[in-house]
Amino acid sequence: MKRVVVSSGLKEADIRPPALMSEFKRLSIQDACEFFADESQLVEVDCPACGSPERAPAFRRYDFLYNACSACGSVFVSPRPSDEALTHYYAHSRASRFRVEHFSRDTAKARRYHLLASHANWMGQLFDETGNREARSYADLNSYSPEIFDEIRALGLFDTLLSVDPLLPVNGGAGTPVQTAAMPALAGVGAISAFEKLEHQFSPFAYMGVVRGALAPDGLFFFTTRTISGFDLQVLWDKTPYIFVPEHLNLLSIEGITRLIARSGLELVELSTPGQLDIELVRHAVQQDPSITLPPFLEYLLERRDALAHADFQEFLQKHRLSSHVRVAAKRIKE
Ligand SMILES: [Zn+2]
């Protein structure tokens, strides 16, 4: 299985401008209070990664309880809004509308340069090396960066490009032909991607099952998500400023993701944490929130050591899968 280390000079502000992020978070928290106010409608769930019922309370955020799975260490919200309540929320909340209207468009250039090109190259390379090259269709789930299709088209590996239940109009700037599709209609797809979607699914296991059913034999599923195993989340824990409901219902551990893939009938091809921002995120959180106290070693590292030490430390986190930004490629096993 592959592990990859990446460096491209990425800055948090490039992909998540602070003003947009804080407004999106403010709306999300407000909307969550309104949409999910009735606690009797919340649903208890077992660990969304490994299925274990054993858990202990981890922390509370904005009236929601995050639990830590005793078996795999994943952290997850339970009780949580039902699948139907979440669907209703994403269709009607102000936070969703804000994301579609501002967030993706205003950050499109930086996202495209830093993330989409590297996502497309990553997927193209693995598809070329290990995918089913007869299945020449590609689908992106709930696209909110339509430019991904321009990057994918440039690879020349796929004949059909599908935007599944898109959040934004699908045609990218370069006029790439893209078809719109609904998830249940998908079948025999060569490659499917879902960027930062797993963390807000009601049931990641059910989600993986649907994706598996849509893939061709040897088809590949590519996804990114946040992992609780990462440095910044482990250090900041309940004080992590960018974790909130319902965006982050599932903060799966590396061990949890591995189990989720296996029990979903998929084979792990790559699990890397190519995040470049952990140190910057921790430093920024500490600056913004005086109630955060770092262990002396981390305070020393961040305050007294230079950029080279920080870059080496970040590379160590990537190399040992200890960054919180995780990317995964998994293959549908032939029956
Ligand atoms: Zn678990």
Side-chain angles (χ1 to χ4, degrees):
M1 199 222 320
K2 291 178 79 156
R3 295 183 191 192
V4 175
V5 173
V6 177
S7 175
S8 68
L10 191 62
K11 288 276 181 294
E12 169 69 2
D14 292 339
I15 47 170
R16 298 186 186 88
L20 283 179
M21 267 316 282
S22 66
E23 180 61 6
F24 178 62
K25 179 180 165 185
R26 191 184 69 79
L27 288 173
S28 297
I29 293 164
Q30 239 178 40
D31 286 349
C33 286
E34 286 170 27
F35 280 73
F36 312 129
D38 184 355
E39 285 189 22
S40 69
Q41 298 297 306
L42 300 180
V43 186
E44 289 282 358
V45 295
D46 292 336
C47 173
C50 74
S52 167
E54 305 295 325
R55 91 285 294 273
F59 51 82
R60 292 194 85 88
R61 290 288 276 168
Y62 311 108
D63 292 337
F64 289 94
L65 176 64
Y66 281 83
N67 307 265
C69 170
S70 309
C72 78
S74 293
V75 166
F76 59 98
V77 174
S78 181
R80 61 177 56 190
S82 68
D83 209 1
E84 295 72 31
L86 288 168
T87 304
H88 179 73
Y89 172 92
Y90 285 111
H92 300 288
S93 69
R94 285 167 302 167
S96 286
R97 199 161 56 239
F98 181 83
R99 166 156 51 199
V100 168
E101 287 175 358
H102 297 279
F103 196 75
S104 311
R105 282 184 186 153
D106 295 353
T107 58
K109 261 195 178 158
R111 287 185 74 88
R112 182 187 169 95
Y113 172 70
H114 285 300
L115 290 177
L116 300 179
S118 91
H119 283 340
N121 289 333
W122 165 55
M123 295 189 288
Q125 196 184 352
L126 281 182
F127 181 80
D128 208 28
E129 283 173 14
T130 177
N132 175 351
R133 299 188 65 177
E134 307 290 301
R136 294 175 63 87
S137 54
Y138 163 81
D140 184 51
L141 309 186
N142 304 123
S143 312
Y144 57 81
S145 296
E147 295 86 354
I148 187 68
F149 294 106
D150 300 336
E151 300 289 345
I152 290 287
R153 180 200 199 186
L155 299 172
L157 290 167
F158 300 99
D159 300 330
T160 307
L161 304 181
L162 298 158
S163 184
V164 180
D165 304 322
L167 302 176
L168 272 181
V170 291
N171 286 317
T176 299
V178 180
Q179 298 170 30
T180 310
M183 193 68 211
L186 282 192
V189 181
I192 296 177
S193 60
F195 301 114
E196 292 163 56
K197 304 293 184 308
L198 199 72
E199 56 269 38
H200 54 247
Q201 299 303 320
F202 174 76
S203 167
F205 180 61
Y207 189 70
M208 300 296 280
V210 172
V211 168
R212 183 184 180 282
L215 285 170
D218 279 345
L220 291 169
F221 180 41
F222 299 92
F223 66 90
T224 61
T225 188
R226 286 263 173 165
T227 171
I228 192 67
S229 306
F231 175 78
D232 58 325
L233 295 190
Q234 284 285 324
V235 169
L236 297 171
W237 202 241
D238 60 320
K239 302 252 166 77
T240 309
Y242 34 87
I243 296 303
F244 46 89
V245 174
E247 280 299 299
H248 307 100
L249 298 174
N250 314 301
L251 296 166
L252 307 187
S253 66
I254 295 296
E255 294 73 19
I257 293 171
T258 305
R259 291 193 201 180
L260 175 64
I261 299 284
R263 72 191 186 102
S264 302
L266 298 166
E267 178 194 350
L268 203 52
V269 175
E270 176 183 332
L271 196 166
S272 300
T273 67
Q276 299 171 49
L277 299 170
D278 300 67
I279 295 218
E280 188 191 335
L281 290 167
V282 169
R283 197 211 304 263
H284 188 252
V286 171
Q287 282 166 356
Q288 300 294 311
D289 181 352
S291 77
I292 299 174
T293 318
L294 293 180
F297 171 74
L298 291 182
E299 195 178 329
Y300 174 75
L301 176 68
L302 291 183
E303 294 299 320
R304 304 271 176 173
R305 291 305 179 100
D306 61 9
L308 178 63
H310 297 163
D312 281 352
F313 190 75
Q314 186 68 47
E315 191 178 318
F316 169 85
L317 296 178
Q318 289 188 0
K319 191 174 164 193
H320 295 282
R321 302 198 296 197
L322 290 164
S323 164
S324 68
H325 174 73
V326 61
R327 79 181 192 191
V328 179
K331 183 188 277 194
R332 175 173 176 165
I333 304 163
K334 280 189 180 135
E335 280 81 14

